[in-house]
Amino acid sequence: MHDFKFKNNELHCESVKVSTIAKKVGTPFYLYSHHTLVDHFTKIQKAFKKIDPIICFAMKANDNLAVLKTLADEGAGFDIVSVGELKKVKKVGADPKKIVFASVGKTEEEITAAIKAGILFFNVESLPELEEINAIAKKLKKKTQIALRINPDVEAATHAKITTGTLRNKFGIDLQTARHILNEQKKYPFLKINGLHVHIGSQITSSAPFIHAIKKVIDFIGVLQKEGIPLEYLDIGGGLGIVYHDEKPQTAQDFANAILPYLEKTGLKIVMEPGRFIAGNAGIFVTQVLYLKDNGFKKFLIVDGGMNDLLRPSLYDAYHDVVALKKSNAKKVKMDIVGPICESGDFFAKDRIFPQLKKGDLIAVMSTGAYGYVMASNYNVRGRPPEVMVRGNKYAITKKRETFQDLMRGECIPEFLK
Ligand SMILES: *Cc1c(COP(=O)(O)O)cnc(C)c1O
């Protein structure tokens, strides 16, 4: 499932001992396994081989250049959400005909850049956005393809902050409006509206919510067909869940078995946007113990990484497995594993039974390859950590640790304060 394993009681990433990397790059840092990324991508590709979908990695999950290059080399497309992501993914030679662009708030600059780049299609989230894209395409004299992101109004059975497919959420277009747009296509001569898109949320561990959504989409496609509206693409979004704790998520093959019959029925070219499934378990966050504190009521293992580096526990109450890089014989007790940031929400684990490690010992927060580094900030004037990739017995820093100079770039004291 992933390539972070203990050999001789020491955590390795593929063939490299993780503590060796820690010595070289310092802590904290993110570490990615090239092989795991390829393996997860290939698993989806194989499971869906029959329909040969366009698999667009949702790069908001992990936009490290080495990760993007790894996946582009495997033939992945990309699901982007900003012009920054577009520019970044172009650097790894991604095929624009495999790029899809979602976001409820695309700006004129972003739309212009994406049309010029010749992306596969925009996933459009509202009528005003559709009109804006038509106007910009007209200016550029370039017809552009559109998939309407529909909001199927289904619950995804996941954390509220990562549910996107109900009408309480800002995403997508309700079915009635979508139908209206498709029937009035002539009003948008610079658009070819030939796709539907649906993404109902993230970390979904069973196929039921997907099937529920797909069935709604199929019914909708049936209505459109009766009205003589042809479609070419169906983009089923991302959202496949992974193991963080004791989840029993479906495998790519389980998911394919459950959903393929429905997808085949549509006769449309399928696009998928997995993010977490590919990157989540392909990364870890390594940090070092500073202190073990006991306030008489509770114990705290204080480490040098913080919520500014890894926000998921604080933002989503996410559970992450935590392991000592070197298997420890120290007595195990209940403790919180926390960072140095001045927030009570700065934690990686709560009430965890964990060995009483000592200063300098190294630990890894597992399954942090998705929505980890990308959400890091400079809160508390902390430089973001480096990102490292392992491939076989090699490793390289793919993004350097931010220095104080990096943090100060662009900041000044105004004249009127001098
Ligand atoms: C976030 C997102 C994804 C990826 O979600 P995962 O849960 O990481 O697979 C795919 N599509 C869209 C539109 C998204 O917003």
Side-chain angles (χ1 to χ4, degrees), residues 117-141:
I119 65 165
L120 180 61
F121 54 72
F122 288 92
N123 284 316
V124 168
E125 310 226 17
S126 68
L127 178 56
E129 182 198 330
L130 189 83
E131 289 166 347
E132 175 84 352
I133 297 175
N134 184 57
I136 296 170
K138 183 175 175 186
K139 224 188 297 178
L140 298 174
K141 299 193 183 65

Side-chain angles (χ1 to χ4, degrees), residues 58 60 79 102 149 197 199 201-203 238-240 273-276 371:
K60 75 173 195 281
D79 165 34
R149 176 169 181 176
H197 172 237
H199 171 76
S202 201
Q203 185 55 13
L240 276 179
E273 305 171 340
R276 189 188 312 268
Y371 308 105

